[in-house]
Amino acid sequence: MSVYYFAGASIVAALCIMIVFKIHVDKLKHSPEQMGAILTKFFIGVAFCEVVPILLLVAGFATMQTGLEFNNLLLPLVCIFFSMIIAAVFIFLQTKVDVTQEMRGKVYTFAMIGLSLAISIPFFSLVGLLIQMQ
């Protein structure tokens, strides 16, 4: 059962951070001179979004079983990789839409910050799954 805590944490974290990223990258595209304030609000939004995934990670590590076969880990593993790939593609696509040449650097910087935050929980979920494998 703990393997599904990791998959759930990964999916919830990726979806929430993608939503918060979309809201704030649109604000950054409209007013790139306010990047500091937008980043601050983005980090606050991410902090609220990661409460539930962190609790799911803790529950996953607390109920961890060792010696599971790969067949039992396949579906959660696919979910984790899927959430990582979807988050990365979504964030990189946002850097291509309505971005002028002068604000391209700020949007790419914001995208790299968002990408690192979006794949951090799935990465820890992946580690939690691999620890349980035989």
Side-chain angles (χ1 to χ4, degrees):
M1 182 62 182
S2 66
V3 293
Y4 294 107
Y5 287 136
F6 292 120
S10 184
I11 292 169
V12 170
L15 286 176
C16 288
I17 291 174
M18 284 189 305
I19 292 168
V20 171
F21 178 80
K22 174 66 174 156
I23 291 168
H24 289 89
V25 80
D26 286 342
K27 290 179 184 178
L28 181 65
K29 289 176 184 178
H30 291 302
S31 57
E33 66 276 354
Q34 295 185 355
M35 184 171 180
I38 293 170
L39 268 174
T40 302
K41 291 177 183 175
F42 174 68
F43 284 131
I44 292 170
V46 167
F48 283 120
C49 283
E50 287 196 349
V51 170
V52 172
I54 288 173
L55 291 175
L56 287 172
L57 277 178
V58 169
F61 280 111
T63 61
M64 183 180 294
Q65 305 166 0
T66 57
L68 294 178
E69 293 184 14
F70 185 73
N71 295 339
N72 296 335
L73 303 175
L74 188 59
L75 180 62
L77 192 64
V78 168
C79 291
I80 291 170
F81 277 124
F82 185 71
S83 66
M84 291 172 85
I85 291 169
I86 292 297
V89 168
F90 180 80
I91 288 172
F92 282 124
L93 284 178
Q94 294 303 312
T95 63
K96 304 292 182 196
V97 179
D98 296 333
V99 178
T100 61
Q101 189 65 30
E102 58 270 2
M103 69 175 156
R104 185 173 303 264
K106 290 183 179 183
V107 172
Y108 278 131
T109 302
F110 192 69
M112 290 299 115
I113 293 169
L115 180 65
S116 64
L117 291 171
I119 65 171
S120 62
I121 296 288
F123 180 75
F124 285 115
S125 297
L126 184 64
V127 170
L129 278 184
L130 293 178
I131 290 173
Q132 296 183 56
M133 196 164 53
Q134 252 181 352

mmCIF file of all heavy atoms in Angstrom, residues 7-52:
data_model
loop_
_atom_site.group_PDB
_atom_site.id
_atom_site.type_symbol
_atom_site.label_atom_id
_atom_site.label_comp_id
_atom_site.label_asym_id
_atom_site.label_seq_id
_atom_site.Cartn_x
_atom_site.Cartn_y
_atom_site.Cartn_z
ATOM 1 N N ALA A 7 3.119 7.275 -5.291
ATOM 2 C CA ALA A 7 2.534 7.659 -6.575
ATOM 3 C C ALA A 7 1.567 8.834 -6.402
ATOM 4 O O ALA A 7 1.570 9.780 -7.200
ATOM 5 C CB ALA A 7 1.820 6.474 -7.205
ATOM 6 N N GLY A 8 0.762 8.785 -5.351
ATOM 7 C CA GLY A 8 -0.173 9.888 -5.094
ATOM 8 C C GLY A 8 0.536 11.188 -4.794
ATOM 9 O O GLY A 8 0.127 12.257 -5.269
ATOM 10 N N ALA A 9 1.598 11.119 -4.010
ATOM 11 C CA ALA A 9 2.372 12.321 -3.703
ATOM 12 C C ALA A 9 2.952 12.922 -4.964
ATOM 13 O O ALA A 9 2.947 14.144 -5.151
ATOM 14 C CB ALA A 9 3.489 11.986 -2.712
ATOM 15 N N SER A 10 3.434 12.079 -5.841
ATOM 16 C CA SER A 10 4.032 12.539 -7.086
ATOM 17 C C SER A 10 3.013 13.229 -7.987
ATOM 18 O O SER A 10 3.269 14.310 -8.518
ATOM 19 C CB SER A 10 4.651 11.335 -7.795
ATOM 20 O OG SER A 10 5.309 11.707 -8.933
ATOM 21 N N ILE A 11 1.866 12.620 -8.137
ATOM 22 C CA ILE A 11 0.833 13.181 -9.011
ATOM 23 C C ILE A 11 0.279 14.477 -8.449
ATOM 24 O O ILE A 11 0.136 15.475 -9.179
ATOM 25 C CB ILE A 11 -0.286 12.145 -9.237
ATOM 26 C CG1 ILE A 11 0.254 10.985 -10.064
ATOM 27 C CG2 ILE A 11 -1.494 12.769 -9.914
ATOM 28 C CD1 ILE A 11 -0.662 9.791 -10.122
ATOM 29 N N VAL A 12 -0.028 14.500 -7.165
ATOM 30 C CA VAL A 12 -0.583 15.715 -6.548
ATOM 31 C C VAL A 12 0.409 16.867 -6.614
ATOM 32 O O VAL A 12 0.049 18.001 -6.960
ATOM 33 C CB VAL A 12 -1.016 15.430 -5.092
ATOM 34 C CG1 VAL A 12 -1.353 16.708 -4.356
ATOM 35 C CG2 VAL A 12 -2.202 14.484 -5.064
ATOM 36 N N ALA A 13 1.661 16.592 -6.327
ATOM 37 C CA ALA A 13 2.682 17.643 -6.352
ATOM 38 C C ALA A 13 2.855 18.202 -7.755
ATOM 39 O O ALA A 13 2.905 19.427 -7.948
ATOM 40 C CB ALA A 13 4.008 17.114 -5.826
ATOM 41 N N ALA A 14 2.947 17.331 -8.740
ATOM 42 C CA ALA A 14 3.155 17.799 -10.111
ATOM 43 C C ALA A 14 1.970 18.625 -10.602
ATOM 44 O O ALA A 14 2.159 19.700 -11.196
ATOM 45 C CB ALA A 14 3.404 16.615 -11.036
ATOM 46 N N LEU A 15 0.760 18.164 -10.348
ATOM 47 C CA LEU A 15 -0.420 18.900 -10.807
ATOM 48 C C LEU A 15 -0.546 20.258 -10.131
ATOM 49 O O LEU A 15 -0.806 21.278 -10.789
ATOM 50 C CB LEU A 15 -1.686 18.077 -10.573
ATOM 51 C CG LEU A 15 -1.907 16.903 -11.509
ATOM 52 C CD1 LEU A 15 -3.148 16.126 -11.090
ATOM 53 C CD2 LEU A 15 -2.036 17.376 -12.933
ATOM 54 N N CYS A 16 -0.368 20.286 -8.819
ATOM 55 C CA CYS A 16 -0.500 21.552 -8.097
ATOM 56 C C CYS A 16 0.570 22.550 -8.520
ATOM 57 O O CYS A 16 0.268 23.728 -8.721
ATOM 58 C CB CYS A 16 -0.422 21.310 -6.591
ATOM 59 S SG CYS A 16 -1.873 20.525 -5.917
ATOM 60 N N ILE A 17 1.785 22.096 -8.666
ATOM 61 C CA ILE A 17 2.850 23.023 -9.041
ATOM 62 C C ILE A 17 2.675 23.497 -10.479
ATOM 63 O O ILE A 17 2.967 24.652 -10.794
ATOM 64 C CB ILE A 17 4.228 22.380 -8.792
ATOM 65 C CG1 ILE A 17 4.430 22.243 -7.290
ATOM 66 C CG2 ILE A 17 5.351 23.207 -9.396
ATOM 67 C CD1 ILE A 17 5.666 21.499 -6.886
ATOM 68 N N MET A 18 2.156 22.653 -11.354
ATOM 69 C CA MET A 18 1.877 23.103 -12.718
ATOM 70 C C MET A 18 0.821 24.203 -12.724
ATOM 71 O O MET A 18 0.939 25.177 -13.472
ATOM 72 C CB MET A 18 1.424 21.934 -13.592
ATOM 73 C CG MET A 18 2.534 21.023 -14.007
ATOM 74 S SD MET A 18 2.078 19.794 -15.247
ATOM 75 C CE MET A 18 0.685 18.961 -14.539
ATOM 76 N N ILE A 19 -0.194 24.073 -11.900
ATOM 77 C CA ILE A 19 -1.242 25.100 -11.832
ATOM 78 C C ILE A 19 -0.677 26.399 -11.292
ATOM 79 O O ILE A 19 -0.908 27.476 -11.861
ATOM 80 C CB ILE A 19 -2.427 24.599 -10.979
ATOM 81 C CG1 ILE A 19 -3.145 23.463 -11.688
ATOM 82 C CG2 ILE A 19 -3.391 25.737 -10.656
ATOM 83 C CD1 ILE A 19 -4.144 22.719 -10.828
ATOM 84 N N VAL A 20 0.072 26.319 -10.197
ATOM 85 C CA VAL A 20 0.666 27.528 -9.612
ATOM 86 C C VAL A 20 1.666 28.149 -10.576
ATOM 87 O O VAL A 20 1.725 29.376 -10.726
ATOM 88 C CB VAL A 20 1.319 27.196 -8.252
ATOM 89 C CG1 VAL A 20 2.116 28.363 -7.720
ATOM 90 C CG2 VAL A 20 0.268 26.776 -7.250
ATOM 91 N N PHE A 21 2.441 27.329 -11.270
ATOM 92 C CA PHE A 21 3.398 27.841 -12.254
ATOM 93 C C PHE A 21 2.678 28.573 -13.381
ATOM 94 O O PHE A 21 3.100 29.654 -13.790
ATOM 95 C CB PHE A 21 4.243 26.701 -12.831
ATOM 96 C CG PHE A 21 5.209 27.152 -13.868
ATOM 97 C CD1 PHE A 21 6.410 27.730 -13.499
ATOM 98 C CD2 PHE A 21 4.920 27.020 -15.213
ATOM 99 C CE1 PHE A 21 7.306 28.179 -14.459
ATOM 100 C CE2 PHE A 21 5.805 27.450 -16.175
ATOM 101 C CZ PHE A 21 6.998 28.031 -15.805
ATOM 102 N N LYS A 22 1.606 28.004 -13.898
ATOM 103 C CA LYS A 22 0.860 28.626 -14.999
ATOM 104 C C LYS A 22 0.324 29.989 -14.592
ATOM 105 O O LYS A 22 0.413 30.956 -15.355
ATOM 106 C CB LYS A 22 -0.281 27.697 -15.421
ATOM 107 C CG LYS A 22 -1.217 28.273 -16.441
ATOM 108 C CD LYS A 22 -0.555 28.501 -17.760
ATOM 109 C CE LYS A 22 -1.602 28.954 -18.787
ATOM 110 N NZ LYS A 22 -1.025 29.705 -19.856
ATOM 111 N N ILE A 23 -0.229 30.079 -13.398
ATOM 112 C CA ILE A 23 -0.771 31.359 -12.925
ATOM 113 C C ILE A 23 0.328 32.411 -12.849
ATOM 114 O O ILE A 23 0.157 33.540 -13.325
ATOM 115 C CB ILE A 23 -1.453 31.164 -11.551
ATOM 116 C CG1 ILE A 23 -2.722 30.333 -11.693
ATOM 117 C CG2 ILE A 23 -1.765 32.512 -10.903
ATOM 118 C CD1 ILE A 23 -3.301 29.846 -10.381
ATOM 119 N N HIS A 24 1.463 32.041 -12.288
ATOM 120 C CA HIS A 24 2.518 33.025 -12.064
ATOM 121 C C HIS A 24 3.351 33.305 -13.303
ATOM 122 O O HIS A 24 3.866 34.410 -13.458
ATOM 123 C CB HIS A 24 3.385 32.593 -10.885
ATOM 124 C CG HIS A 24 2.666 32.721 -9.584
ATOM 125 N ND1 HIS A 24 1.901 31.703 -9.072
ATOM 126 C CD2 HIS A 24 2.556 33.749 -8.722
ATOM 127 C CE1 HIS A 24 1.364 32.108 -7.931
ATOM 128 N NE2 HIS A 24 1.742 33.337 -7.693
ATOM 129 N N VAL A 25 3.482 32.357 -14.205
ATOM 130 C CA VAL A 25 4.218 32.658 -15.432
ATOM 131 C C VAL A 25 3.401 33.595 -16.325
ATOM 132 O O VAL A 25 3.970 34.436 -17.035
ATOM 133 C CB VAL A 25 4.652 31.373 -16.181
ATOM 134 C CG1 VAL A 25 3.543 30.760 -16.998
ATOM 135 C CG2 VAL A 25 5.846 31.654 -17.081
ATOM 136 N N ASP A 26 2.074 33.494 -16.272
ATOM 137 C CA ASP A 26 1.247 34.453 -17.011
ATOM 138 C C ASP A 26 1.400 35.856 -16.438
ATOM 139 O O ASP A 26 1.446 36.842 -17.188
ATOM 140 C CB ASP A 26 -0.217 34.029 -16.993
ATOM 141 C CG ASP A 26 -0.493 32.842 -17.905
ATOM 142 O OD1 ASP A 26 0.349 32.564 -18.790
ATOM 143 O OD2 ASP A 26 -1.546 32.197 -17.729
ATOM 144 N N LYS A 27 1.470 35.957 -15.114
ATOM 145 C CA LYS A 27 1.709 37.261 -14.493
ATOM 146 C C LYS A 27 3.074 37.801 -14.879
ATOM 147 O O LYS A 27 3.235 39.003 -15.111
ATOM 148 C CB LYS A 27 1.606 37.156 -12.967
ATOM 149 C CG LYS A 27 0.208 36.925 -12.459
ATOM 150 C CD LYS A 27 0.198 36.812 -10.949
ATOM 151 C CE LYS A 27 -1.189 36.494 -10.428
ATOM 152 N NZ LYS A 27 -1.200 36.337 -8.968
ATOM 153 N N LEU A 28 4.067 36.920 -14.951
ATOM 154 C CA LEU A 28 5.416 37.340 -15.335
ATOM 155 C C LEU A 28 5.455 37.798 -16.788
ATOM 156 O O LEU A 28 6.158 38.761 -17.112
ATOM 157 C CB LEU A 28 6.405 36.195 -15.118
ATOM 158 C CG LEU A 28 7.864 36.480 -15.438
ATOM 159 C CD1 LEU A 28 8.415 37.537 -14.488
ATOM 160 C CD2 LEU A 28 8.685 35.213 -15.357
ATOM 161 N N LYS A 29 4.693 37.171 -17.646
ATOM 162 C CA LYS A 29 4.657 37.569 -19.059
ATOM 163 C C LYS A 29 4.015 38.934 -19.234
ATOM 164 O O LYS A 29 4.385 39.687 -20.137
ATOM 165 C CB LYS A 29 3.910 36.524 -19.884
ATOM 166 C CG LYS A 29 4.675 35.230 -20.037
ATOM 167 C CD LYS A 29 3.852 34.203 -20.782
ATOM 168 C CE LYS A 29 4.557 32.866 -20.866
ATOM 169 N NZ LYS A 29 3.742 31.835 -21.540
ATOM 170 N N HIS A 30 3.060 39.267 -18.370
ATOM 171 C CA HIS A 30 2.399 40.573 -18.476
ATOM 172 C C HIS A 30 3.224 41.689 -17.866
ATOM 173 O O HIS A 30 3.191 42.817 -18.363
ATOM 174 C CB HIS A 30 1.015 40.525 -17.820
ATOM 175 C CG HIS A 30 0.030 39.691 -18.569
ATOM 176 N ND1 HIS A 30 -0.312 39.932 -19.888
ATOM 177 C CD2 HIS A 30 -0.680 38.593 -18.200
ATOM 178 C CE1 HIS A 30 -1.182 39.044 -20.289
ATOM 179 N NE2 HIS A 30 -1.423 38.202 -19.264
ATOM 180 N N SER A 31 3.947 41.408 -16.796
ATOM 181 C CA SER A 31 4.775 42.441 -16.157
ATOM 182 C C SER A 31 6.099 41.837 -15.703
ATOM 183 O O SER A 31 6.253 41.486 -14.530
ATOM 184 C CB SER A 31 4.028 43.077 -14.992
ATOM 185 O OG SER A 31 3.635 42.102 -14.065
ATOM 186 N N PRO A 32 7.063 41.713 -16.619
ATOM 187 C CA PRO A 32 8.340 41.081 -16.258
ATOM 188 C C PRO A 32 9.184 41.901 -15.293
ATOM 189 O O PRO A 32 10.088 41.365 -14.661
ATOM 190 C CB PRO A 32 9.049 40.917 -17.609
ATOM 191 C CG PRO A 32 8.364 41.821 -18.544
ATOM 192 C CD PRO A 32 6.991 42.034 -18.030
ATOM 193 N N GLU A 33 8.886 43.169 -15.139
ATOM 194 C CA GLU A 33 9.662 44.002 -14.208
ATOM 195 C C GLU A 33 9.359 43.675 -12.752
ATOM 196 O O GLU A 33 10.106 44.056 -11.856
ATOM 197 C CB GLU A 33 9.410 45.486 -14.479
ATOM 198 C CG GLU A 33 8.002 45.960 -14.206
ATOM 199 C CD GLU A 33 7.028 45.716 -15.350
ATOM 200 O OE1 GLU A 33 7.463 45.270 -16.428
ATOM 201 O OE2 GLU A 33 5.838 45.971 -15.152
ATOM 202 N N GLN A 34 8.289 42.955 -12.477
ATOM 203 C CA GLN A 34 7.928 42.592 -11.109
ATOM 204 C C GLN A 34 8.285 41.137 -10.802
ATOM 205 O O GLN A 34 7.568 40.444 -10.082
ATOM 206 C CB GLN A 34 6.443 42.813 -10.883
ATOM 207 C CG GLN A 34 6.024 44.256 -10.960
ATOM 208 C CD GLN A 34 4.568 44.421 -10.597
ATOM 209 O OE1 GLN A 34 3.854 43.456 -10.380
ATOM 210 N NE2 GLN A 34 4.138 45.661 -10.519
ATOM 211 N N MET A 35 9.395 40.674 -11.320
ATOM 212 C CA MET A 35 9.768 39.271 -11.160
ATOM 213 C C MET A 35 9.976 38.893 -9.694
ATOM 214 O O MET A 35 9.607 37.803 -9.278
ATOM 215 C CB MET A 35 11.025 38.951 -11.965
ATOM 216 C CG MET A 35 11.394 37.492 -11.910
ATOM 217 S SD MET A 35 12.706 37.104 -13.050
ATOM 218 C CE MET A 35 12.892 35.374 -12.764
ATOM 219 N N GLY A 36 10.540 39.782 -8.898
ATOM 220 C CA GLY A 36 10.782 39.476 -7.486
ATOM 221 C C GLY A 36 9.498 39.204 -6.723
ATOM 222 O O GLY A 36 9.406 38.231 -5.969
ATOM 223 N N ALA A 37 8.514 40.057 -6.916
ATOM 224 C CA ALA A 37 7.235 39.872 -6.226
ATOM 225 C C ALA A 37 6.513 38.625 -6.728
ATOM 226 O O ALA A 37 5.896 37.891 -5.940
ATOM 227 C CB ALA A 37 6.352 41.102 -6.431
ATOM 228 N N ILE A 38 6.611 38.373 -8.016
ATOM 229 C CA ILE A 38 5.961 37.192 -8.582
ATOM 230 C C ILE A 38 6.621 35.916 -8.071
ATOM 231 O O ILE A 38 5.940 34.946 -7.737
ATOM 232 C CB ILE A 38 5.973 37.266 -10.122
ATOM 233 C CG1 ILE A 38 5.072 38.415 -10.591
ATOM 234 C CG2 ILE A 38 5.532 35.961 -10.743
ATOM 235 C CD1 ILE A 38 5.177 38.750 -12.049
ATOM 236 N N LEU A 39 7.951 35.913 -7.975
ATOM 237 C CA LEU A 39 8.659 34.746 -7.437
ATOM 238 C C LEU A 39 8.289 34.491 -5.980
ATOM 239 O O LEU A 39 8.128 33.331 -5.571
ATOM 240 C CB LEU A 39 10.166 34.943 -7.555
ATOM 241 C CG LEU A 39 10.834 34.407 -8.807
ATOM 242 C CD1 LEU A 39 12.296 34.800 -8.845
ATOM 243 C CD2 LEU A 39 10.684 32.929 -8.914
ATOM 244 N N THR A 40 8.165 35.568 -5.210
ATOM 245 C CA THR A 40 7.782 35.415 -3.805
ATOM 246 C C THR A 40 6.408 34.767 -3.685
ATOM 247 O O THR A 40 6.220 33.824 -2.907
ATOM 248 C CB THR A 40 7.790 36.782 -3.112
ATOM 249 O OG1 THR A 40 9.087 37.362 -3.230
ATOM 250 C CG2 THR A 40 7.399 36.659 -1.652
ATOM 251 N N LYS A 41 5.454 35.243 -4.460
ATOM 252 C CA LYS A 41 4.109 34.670 -4.420
ATOM 253 C C LYS A 41 4.103 33.245 -4.958
ATOM 254 O O LYS A 41 3.336 32.393 -4.481
ATOM 255 C CB LYS A 41 3.147 35.546 -5.208
ATOM 256 C CG LYS A 41 2.898 36.880 -4.547
ATOM 257 C CD LYS A 41 2.000 37.758 -5.369
ATOM 258 C CE LYS A 41 1.846 39.109 -4.690
ATOM 259 N NZ LYS A 41 1.069 40.050 -5.501
ATOM 260 N N PHE A 42 4.955 32.975 -5.935
ATOM 261 C CA PHE A 42 5.070 31.619 -6.472
ATOM 262 C C PHE A 42 5.579 30.653 -5.409
ATOM 263 O O PHE A 42 5.043 29.557 -5.248
ATOM 264 C CB PHE A 42 5.999 31.626 -7.689
ATOM 265 C CG PHE A 42 6.310 30.264 -8.239
ATOM 266 C CD1 PHE A 42 5.337 29.507 -8.853
ATOM 267 C CD2 PHE A 42 7.589 29.738 -8.143
ATOM 268 C CE1 PHE A 42 5.618 28.245 -9.367
ATOM 269 C CE2 PHE A 42 7.882 28.501 -8.653
ATOM 270 C CZ PHE A 42 6.895 27.749 -9.262
ATOM 271 N N PHE A 43 6.616 31.059 -4.669
ATOM 272 C CA PHE A 43 7.156 30.181 -3.621
ATOM 273 C C PHE A 43 6.134 29.958 -2.509
ATOM 274 O O PHE A 43 6.062 28.852 -1.954
ATOM 275 C CB PHE A 43 8.444 30.752 -3.045
ATOM 276 C CG PHE A 43 9.630 30.578 -3.949
ATOM 277 C CD1 PHE A 43 10.450 31.648 -4.225
ATOM 278 C CD2 PHE A 43 9.924 29.362 -4.518
ATOM 279 C CE1 PHE A 43 11.548 31.502 -5.056
ATOM 280 C CE2 PHE A 43 11.016 29.199 -5.345
ATOM 281 C CZ PHE A 43 11.829 30.272 -5.617
ATOM 282 N N ILE A 44 5.351 30.958 -2.187
ATOM 283 C CA ILE A 44 4.302 30.786 -1.181
ATOM 284 C C ILE A 44 3.245 29.807 -1.687
ATOM 285 O O ILE A 44 2.788 28.921 -0.955
ATOM 286 C CB ILE A 44 3.683 32.153 -0.804
ATOM 287 C CG1 ILE A 44 4.715 32.992 -0.049
ATOM 288 C CG2 ILE A 44 2.416 31.968 0.023
ATOM 289 C CD1 ILE A 44 4.310 34.435 0.162
ATOM 290 N N GLY A 45 2.862 29.937 -2.958
ATOM 291 C CA GLY A 45 1.899 29.001 -3.546
ATOM 292 C C GLY A 45 2.418 27.574 -3.577
ATOM 293 O O GLY A 45 1.688 26.625 -3.289
ATOM 294 N N VAL A 46 3.693 27.416 -3.907
ATOM 295 C CA VAL A 46 4.294 26.078 -3.937
ATOM 296 C C VAL A 46 4.350 25.492 -2.533
ATOM 297 O O VAL A 46 4.117 24.295 -2.341
ATOM 298 C CB VAL A 46 5.693 26.140 -4.587
ATOM 299 C CG1 VAL A 46 6.456 24.852 -4.352
ATOM 300 C CG2 VAL A 46 5.572 26.411 -6.073
ATOM 301 N N ALA A 47 4.636 26.330 -1.543
ATOM 302 C CA ALA A 47 4.682 25.838 -0.162
ATOM 303 C C ALA A 47 3.325 25.291 0.266
ATOM 304 O O ALA A 47 3.243 24.238 0.917
ATOM 305 C CB ALA A 47 5.129 26.959 0.776
ATOM 306 N N PHE A 48 2.258 25.984 -0.112
ATOM 307 C CA PHE A 48 0.924 25.483 0.226
ATOM 308 C C PHE A 48 0.593 24.217 -0.566
ATOM 309 O O PHE A 48 -0.079 23.323 -0.063
ATOM 310 C CB PHE A 48 -0.148 26.546 -0.023
ATOM 311 C CG PHE A 48 -0.196 27.607 1.039
ATOM 312 C CD1 PHE A 48 0.008 28.940 0.722
ATOM 313 C CD2 PHE A 48 -0.443 27.273 2.354
ATOM 314 C CE1 PHE A 48 -0.025 29.916 1.695
ATOM 315 C CE2 PHE A 48 -0.487 28.237 3.348
ATOM 316 C CZ PHE A 48 -0.275 29.567 3.008
ATOM 317 N N CYS A 49 1.066 24.150 -1.800
ATOM 318 C CA CYS A 49 0.779 22.977 -2.639
ATOM 319 C C CYS A 49 1.497 21.727 -2.170
ATOM 320 O O CYS A 49 1.014 20.619 -2.386
ATOM 321 C CB CYS A 49 1.197 23.251 -4.081
ATOM 322 S SG CYS A 49 0.060 24.280 -4.974
ATOM 323 N N GLU A 50 2.651 21.880 -1.555
ATOM 324 C CA GLU A 50 3.450 20.713 -1.208
ATOM 325 C C GLU A 50 3.146 20.147 0.175
ATOM 326 O O GLU A 50 3.788 19.187 0.588
ATOM 327 C CB GLU A 50 4.936 21.038 -1.335
ATOM 328 C CG GLU A 50 5.365 21.152 -2.774
ATOM 329 C CD GLU A 50 6.851 21.086 -2.965
ATOM 330 O OE1 GLU A 50 7.591 21.159 -1.967
ATOM 331 O OE2 GLU A 50 7.269 20.955 -4.119
ATOM 332 N N VAL A 51 2.177 20.688 0.873
ATOM 333 C CA VAL A 51 1.832 20.167 2.198
ATOM 334 C C VAL A 51 1.297 18.742 2.090
ATOM 335 O O VAL A 51 1.784 17.827 2.773
ATOM 336 C CB VAL A 51 0.812 21.090 2.906
ATOM 337 C CG1 VAL A 51 0.265 20.440 4.153
ATOM 338 C CG2 VAL A 51 1.448 22.422 3.222
ATOM 339 N N VAL A 52 0.313 18.529 1.249
ATOM 340 C CA VAL A 52 -0.290 17.204 1.113
ATOM 341 C C VAL A 52 0.701 16.190 0.533
ATOM 342 O O VAL A 52 0.817 15.077 1.068
ATOM 343 C CB VAL A 52 -1.586 17.275 0.267
ATOM 344 C CG1 VAL A 52 -2.118 15.891 -0.037
ATOM 345 C CG2 VAL A 52 -2.637 18.106 0.983
#
